[in-house]
Amino acid sequence: MRITHLALWTVLFSVVSGCQPKQPAANDSSPADEVTNRIPIPPEVISNIGISFETAERGRLGRWLRVPGRLEVPQDRRWTVRAPAQGRARPRVRVGDTVEKGAVLVVLESPALLDARKTIFAATNAVRNAEDEARASAARLKEAELLWAQTTEFETKCQQRRNGMRELQGAATDSSSALSSRELIEAEQTWVDARGRTLETAVLRDDLQKRARRLTLEVARAKIEVDQQIASLAVLTGHSVDALSSSVDGTPVWKTLSILELRAPGAGVVMSVDVADGERVSEDMPLVILSDPSMLVFAGYVPESDFGALTPSAPTRVRAAGLGNAHVLTKLWESPPTYDEDSRALRVNAWVPNLNRRVPHGISATAHIQISESAAEEVVIPEACVVFDGLEAVVFRRDPDDPNVAIRTPVELGERASGQVEVLSGVLDGDEVVRNGVHQLKQTGMGKAPEGGHFHADGTWHEED
């Protein structure tokens, strides 16, 4: 329960001494060290007031453009697993399950798998038949080429004999010319017959060569058909072509498949299961929706008038709705913003890690995009950590040696921008300063130095000489 300022005063002073210390009067002889700029903030005070702290950081003060938007899971990280064929589905996951890539999401019993196996079996048989015919044709072609070589050689010898008989005919006498003519005619006839056989074997060889080439093409076509059918089965089952073509104990994997296992295309969270166990499904019916929210995209719209202030890769702080002051430091995409003609605005995007997957898809978010920064580095804190007591700017700095103590510290401020302020003196890099509860601490009046003196570093008050 939140307590009043008077109650806070009572709680704070009861922790220290049970009552408020008196301020030294002009004729009071109390020691000056009873006055201090240190305020006790035990856990019960922090809890009652709701005190929170911010850490001072040294850096350049930036001017930031506030852009409302939303956080989305990238499109390439959202999957809809559909039924590749009709059949009976049996889900293996439930909504909210976290799955790894390749995990079985749904088992599908489908006649399409049997049809695909029969087609591949027929195609592989066609390959074997074509290869057998091609081998037989190659053997016949080899015999034909050998026969053609033999008939060609025989024809050559017959031609040589005929030519020899002609020479003898020209040199023969009249008494022997009749006998020489008969022998010459026989030689001519033998050569003609041999030439005819050579021509026949040449034609046979040519036909067998054509047949061998045709059968070689048939083998190639049959193998391509097998590859196509296995590729179709790979699409149907989700297995790779190499996995389906491999063998287990001498049997091709594609022959062993009896069910379709629909696997996760990526790691993620199951967002929806749209089928009941044993339900009959049709081809292309959505079964499971899977999403990987480990990396989100901030999508916001900036008025076109601010286009000149945007730069690629500009530092960006993204804060999701409902997560308080927690933000993620990232940067804009290097690609130029997308212009939307209907709204006359620029869509800007930034990657937002979501490793614990806590932030859901579509939640509202706010991005602060840096459009400029100061020339020099200074200590920077949220402007909400500073209160004014009259003209004096004050922060309540947590004692680094005692976390249950806050030190009321006057500060000198520099430039302000986008809810941040430069602190030129009074706060160092790494100091923790009060944010929520700073006004309540200020209203107590505790830790304020009386007139005519100053505080030392140890918190003791010293009168001016």
Side-chain angles (χ1 to χ4, degrees):
M1 180 178 65
R2 185 173 298 277
I3 59 178
T4 64
H5 298 157
L6 180 59
L8 172 64
W9 182 287
T10 304
V11 171
L12 293 176
F13 277 78
S14 64
V15 172
V16 179
S17 59
C19 62
Q20 179 183 0
K22 297 180 179 180
Q23 297 293 336
N27 57 355
D28 196 347
S29 60
S30 300
D33 59 1
E34 292 181 359
V35 181
T36 180
N37 61 353
R38 281 162 166 74
I39 304 173
I41 50 170
E44 57 268 24
V45 172
I46 293 177
S47 175
N48 284 331
I49 300 179
I51 292 177
S52 65
F53 299 90
E54 294 282 349
T55 301
E57 298 179 354
R58 187 171 185 82
R60 300 177 188 273
L61 183 68
R63 292 182 59 244
W64 301 77
L65 180 65
R66 183 180 181 276
V67 180
R70 55 182 285 173
L71 294 174
E72 303 173 347
V73 175
Q75 191 64 44
D76 63 348
R77 287 299 182 187
R78 286 180 269 169
W79 301 277
T80 299
V81 179
R82 300 176 179 272
Q86 66 175 353
R88 190 179 303 278
R90 300 194 180 280
R92 291 292 183 265
V93 293
R94 296 182 299 179
V95 174
D97 286 352
T98 299
V99 298
E100 298 297 328
K101 181 178 181 179
V104 176
L105 303 178
V106 180
V107 172
L108 185 65
E109 302 167 355
S110 174
L113 179 59
L114 179 59
D115 292 340
R117 290 172 53 189
K118 289 167 60 177
T119 302
I120 297 176
F121 183 76
T124 55
N125 281 339
V127 170
R128 285 195 294 268
N129 293 337
E131 288 177 339
D132 290 342
E133 291 187 19
R135 282 192 294 268
S137 178
R140 289 192 292 270
L141 175 60
K142 186 175 182 180
E143 293 176 358
E145 289 176 342
L146 179 60
L147 180 59
W148 174 79
Q150 291 173 345
T151 55
T152 301
E153 182 181 0
F154 180 69
E155 177 192 351
T156 300
K157 290 180 179 180
C158 291
Q159 185 178 14
Q160 291 173 351
R161 181 173 178 270
R162 183 203 65 170
N163 292 339
M165 295 296 292
R166 284 183 175 181
E167 292 177 359
L168 289 175
Q169 176 70 15
T173 61
D174 293 339
S175 60
S176 62
S177 60
L179 181 60
S180 298
S181 295
R182 287 196 300 271
E183 292 177 351
L184 179 59
I185 291 172
E186 292 177 358
E188 289 284 354
Q189 184 62 45
T190 302
W191 174 74
V192 170
D193 292 343
R195 185 167 180 78
R197 286 194 295 272
T198 300
L199 181 59
E200 289 175 359
T201 55
V203 172
L204 178 60
R205 180 202 60 183
D206 293 343
D207 289 342
L208 290 173
Q209 285 178 340
K210 292 178 181 178
R211 178 177 173 79
R213 286 195 294 269
R214 180 175 60 80
L215 290 174
T216 300
L217 291 177
E218 287 295 330
V219 172
R221 288 195 197 98
K223 289 182 177 180
I224 291 174
E225 179 66 18
V226 171
D227 292 340
Q228 288 178 339
Q229 295 302 326
I230 292 180
S232 298
L233 184 60
V235 174
L236 184 66
T237 62
H239 294 282
S240 67
V241 172
D242 291 340
L244 292 174
S245 302
S246 62
S247 297
V248 177
D249 296 331
T251 302
V253 171
W254 61 264
K255 281 188 177 182
T256 65
L257 299 179
S258 58
I259 57 174
L260 297 176
E261 293 181 335
L262 308 185
R263 298 176 178 272
V269 178
V270 177
M271 307 302 296
S272 174
V273 178
D274 300 324
V275 62
D277 186 31
E279 181 180 353
R280 293 182 60 86
V281 298
S282 58
E283 183 178 356
D284 205 40
M285 176 178 171
L287 303 180
V288 176
I289 296 178
L290 189 66
S291 173
D292 179 11
S294 60
M295 180 64 74
L296 302 176
V297 174
F298 171 80
Y301 288 89
V302 176
E304 59 184 358
S305 58
D306 292 322
F307 173 68
L310 298 175
T311 57
S313 303
T316 303
R317 295 198 302 262
V318 179
R319 181 179 292 112
L323 296 183
N325 295 322
H327 66 266
V328 175
L329 182 62
T330 179
K331 61 182 180 179
L332 290 184
W333 286 0
E334 294 182 359
S335 56
T338 304
Y339 184 65
D340 182 64
E341 294 184 358
D342 295 333
S343 62
R344 314 292 293 178
L346 301 165
R347 172 170 169 148
V348 293
N349 299 99
W351 292 112
V352 180
N354 186 29
L355 299 181
N356 60 3
R357 297 174 177 173
R358 179 185 179 189
V359 181
H361 165 78
I363 193 171
S364 299
T366 302
H368 290 82
I369 303 171
Q370 183 174 307
I371 56 178
S372 67
E373 64 179 4
S374 59
E377 289 188 351
E378 298 289 349
V379 174
V380 177
I381 61 173
E383 195 171 1
C385 297
V386 181
V387 291
F388 283 85
D389 189 353
L391 298 178
E392 183 181 50
V394 175
V395 299
F396 291 87
R397 181 170 56 89
R398 198 172 200 175
D399 190 341
D401 298 324
D402 187 353
N404 293 326
V405 171
I407 304 174
R408 189 183 195 274
T409 307
V411 292
E412 180 183 354
L413 302 180
E415 296 183 4
R416 298 170 175 83
S418 303
Q420 301 287 106
V421 60
E422 293 178 339
V423 180
L424 306 182
S425 65
V427 177
L428 300 178
D429 181 23
D431 283 348
E432 287 186 289
V433 293
V434 174
R435 179 171 182 150
N436 296 332
V438 64
H439 292 283
Q440 289 89 329
L441 293 179
K442 178 236 177 180
Q443 289 298 327
T444 65
M446 297 176 62
K448 184 176 181 180
E451 295 182 1
H454 62 273
F455 286 112
H456 289 173
D458 60 359
T460 58
W461 184 76
H462 182 266
E463 292 184 355
E464 300 290 352
D465 294 334

